[in-house]
Amino acid sequence: MGEFQKLAKLSDLQEGKVFVAETRYHKVGLTKLGNEICAFADLCTHDGEEIAEGDLEGDVIVCPRHSAKFNIRTGKVLCMPAVEDLPVYKTRIVGDDVEVELED
C-alpha cells in the first residue's frame, strides 16, 4: 500500500474535464464523475505518452495519439492498440483536499 498525498482541491476538479497533478514520480489525471473522484496515471500504456489531453467520454478516456480507450474507474483497456490496463488510484476527500494513494 502507498501513502495518500494531497494532489488537488475539490474546486480544481470539474465534471468532464481532466486536471493533471504532478508529484516527484507521478503525473496523475483527476476528474469528477458525479460524486466520485477518479484518479489515473497520465500515460497511455500503449506508448507511454500523456493521456489526460485525450477526450473524456463519461468514464472513458481516449488517447489523443492512437485512440486507445480506457475506463478511468477500473483502468480496464477497452480497445487496441493498448493491451495493458491503465493504472488507477484510490482517492479520498479530506475537507476540501483531494488525496490520492500513490507509491513512490
Side-chain angles (χ1 to χ4, degrees):
M1 284 182 60
E3 292 185 21
F4 279 92
Q5 298 178 34
K6 176 185 150 189
L7 295 188
K9 295 274 190 195
L10 271 175
S11 58
D12 293 330
L13 307 183
Q14 297 178 35
E15 187 91 23
K17 300 206 184 246
V18 178
F19 175 87
V20 178
E22 292 188 50
T23 71
R24 185 176 194 178
Y25 301 108
H26 304 276
K27 285 182 81 174
V28 178
L30 296 143
T31 192
K32 285 173 75 170
L33 291 177
N35 292 328
E36 182 181 1
I37 304 296
C38 294
F40 56 91
D42 184 17
L43 64 95
C44 179
T45 60
H46 167 242
D47 66 5
E49 291 294 320
E50 296 171 350
I51 197 168
E53 292 296 318
D55 291 332
L56 187 59
E57 302 167 352
D59 62 358
V60 174
I61 190 135
V62 181
C63 180
R65 290 203 41 186
H66 300 114
S67 300
K69 294 181 181 183
F70 303 88
N71 182 299
I72 61 171
R73 284 189 167 111
T74 65
K76 293 290 181 199
V77 64
L78 302 174
C79 79
M80 303 268 294
V83 294
E84 187 178 326
D85 291 343
L86 183 68
V88 294
Y89 308 108
K90 291 182 183 177
T91 62
R92 69 181 182 192
I93 298 169
V94 179
D96 187 43
D97 296 331
V98 177
E99 295 183 349
V100 178
E101 186 179 35
L102 298 172
E103 298 199 22
D104 284 337

